[in-house]
Amino acid sequence: MRIISKAAAMQKCAQQWKRRGIRVGFVPTMGYLHAGHLSLVREARKRVGKNGKVVVSIYVNPTQFAPTEDLAKYPRDLRRDLKLCRDADVDVVFTPNDAEMYHRWGEVPDEPARGDDRLTGFSTYVVEEKLSRSMEGAARPTHFRGVTTVVAKLFNIVLPDIAVFGQKDFQQAAIIKRMVADLDFPLRIIVAPTLREPDGLAMSSRNKFLDAEQRAQAVILFHSLRAASLAVKKKPVSAARLKADLKEFITAAPLARLDYVEFFDPETLVPVAQVKRGTQMALAVFVGKTRLIDNARL
Ligand code: AMP
């Protein structure tokens, strides 16, 4: 397994593969890898075959964090991540730093630039303007601009034939698919299912922040998805009614506070008035100070 930290070296490696007709599967991550990430790696391997190459990027992208968010605290363990990648038969781990990604034309400031901060050596962004407005985009206004920009950069550096994203971040995957179609990136986006803990909690690097009591109550997200699924099994229910019921349901977990719950069309992300089987549901819940998200097709 090769570890590459320079964008130019990564791109050169990818161009050599391209010339030799080797297929490349790519899994972008922020590291602190868990079984969910590794399931994406397996999916990438399945798609490109044993003669193909699988690249995992590990980069905590500052531009998708707002100044008020947990960038400095975001969990990191590169040594452990590299071992997990090696064991998962990854060919290359791309580990750029902020200087490499955002400051190739300027000085690296002491503080990483995030949200609306001006980056000294960087002035071009990719902005998706429709699907990014609701839910995560409404709660975190500069988040998706950071995501689309860094993912576009990573695609240009890694030159993948396929890239695998998790359904866990449903809106993110929808936005990336839209970006790839709108901007004609020559690659295919695969969306892989959410891996869960035995009690149903979606695996996430942020689960590490939960203490024992919070961890026990964090399962309320999964239980909310299940309750909604059950509620619409026989007949449609109004979205307003279901939102009110779920808000009430979540008060059963005293450490949890609902940020949003939405019901929408899985393709267009347009909210629906009537929730029925096949409607997509997504929610964000603070458990203590940790903000968790989950979603499902009802
Ligand atoms: P992150 O490191 O959190 O940015 O996630 C990197 C990729 O892993 C994204 O495409 C996520 O959607 C995906 N991912 C995160 N958690 C899970 C999970 N529990 N199951 C499957 N994929 C996941």
Side-chain angles (χ1 to χ4, degrees):
M1 186 178 82
R2 273 183 77 187
I3 300 158
I4 300 180
S5 57
K6 297 281 178 213
M10 180 71 242
Q11 198 179 47
K12 198 168 145 204
C13 172
Q15 281 163 338
Q16 283 167 356
W17 288 336
K18 202 112 288 189
R19 277 197 289 277
R20 290 162 55 200
I22 293 172
R23 279 173 63 75
V24 178
F26 178 41
V27 180
T29 82
M30 300 207 295
Y32 210 74
L33 302 181
H34 52 65
H37 295 115
L38 299 176
S39 74
L40 306 188
V41 171
R42 278 196 303 278
E43 184 63 34
R45 173 60 70 196
K46 201 173 93 194
R47 302 272 173 168
V48 300
K50 64 178 187 336
N51 297 325
K53 301 287 183 188
V54 172
V55 178
V56 171
S57 63
I58 297 178
Y59 178 56
V60 182
N61 173 39
T63 62
Q64 71 191 67
F65 289 78
T68 50
E69 292 176 347
D70 56 353
L71 172 67
K73 271 189 19 213
Y74 196 84
R76 293 159 220 246
D77 190 345
L78 185 59
R79 266 183 58 148
R80 181 171 162 276
D81 287 348
L82 292 176
K83 172 161 176 16
L84 288 170
C85 286
R86 211 170 272 121
D87 293 346
D89 198 25
V90 170
D91 294 288
V92 172
V93 180
F94 178 50
T95 57
N97 60 17
D98 292 344
E100 200 52 31
M101 291 301 274
Y102 289 114
H103 305 288
R104 268 178 283 164
W105 313 113
E107 282 181 23
V108 183
D110 295 338
E111 271 283 299
R114 16 182 171 160
D116 277 333
D117 290 6
R118 291 267 172 269
L119 288 158
T120 54
F122 191 87
S123 50
T124 308
Y125 292 88
V126 177
V127 185
E128 192 290 322
E129 301 210 328
K130 251 192 205 136
L131 308 182
S132 340
R133 295 228 169 105
S134 61
M135 298 185 280
E136 288 304 286
R140 308 175 67 191
T142 54
H143 174 65
F144 285 123
R145 181 185 75 156
V147 171
T148 42
T149 300
V150 82
V151 170
K153 285 170 64 63
L154 289 168
F155 286 171
N156 284 331
I157 294 167
V158 176
L159 308 176
D161 297 285
I162 63 139
V164 188
F165 288 81
Q167 157 126 38
K168 159 83 177 4
D169 299 279
F170 187 89
Q171 190 180 11
Q172 167 175 284
I175 290 166
I176 299 294
K177 276 199 277 189
R178 181 65 64 94
M179 175 187 87
V180 162
D182 284 352
L183 299 184
D184 306 286
F185 279 91
L187 61 96
R188 215 175 124 201
I189 300 297
I190 311 290
V191 182
T194 303
L195 247 73
R196 298 179 179 280
E197 301 290 352
D199 67 353
L201 175 65
M203 289 183 181
S204 163
S205 308
R206 289 190 167 93
N207 294 349
K208 167 194 159 69
F209 297 130
L210 305 170
D211 67 25
E213 212 176 338
Q214 292 166 344
R215 168 64 189 82
Q217 293 186 20
V219 76
I220 196 74
L221 284 91
F222 179 64
H223 287 171
S224 300
L225 295 170
R226 235 180 23 189
S229 205
L230 211 60
V232 303
K233 200 166 179 167
K234 296 235 168 67
K235 56 177 192 342
V237 180
S238 95
R241 171 73 199 275
L242 204 46
K243 280 185 191 181
D245 288 352
L246 285 167
K247 192 163 184 187
E248 170 72 25
F249 179 72
I250 288 170
T251 59
L255 300 176
R257 182 170 56 81
L258 179 65
D259 188 8
Y260 69 75
V261 54
E262 290 296 344
F263 301 97
F264 54 93
D265 177 280
E267 298 299 324
T268 61
L269 309 194
V270 172
V272 296
Q274 288 291 316
V275 184
K276 52 187 187 208
R277 284 171 74 158
T279 300
Q280 194 78 24
M281 166 174 164
L283 76 171
V285 174
F286 282 97
V287 181
K289 282 191 177 143
T290 307
R291 188 167 173 284
L292 302 176
I293 58 171
D294 205 343
N295 71 88
R297 181 84 69 100
L298 301 181

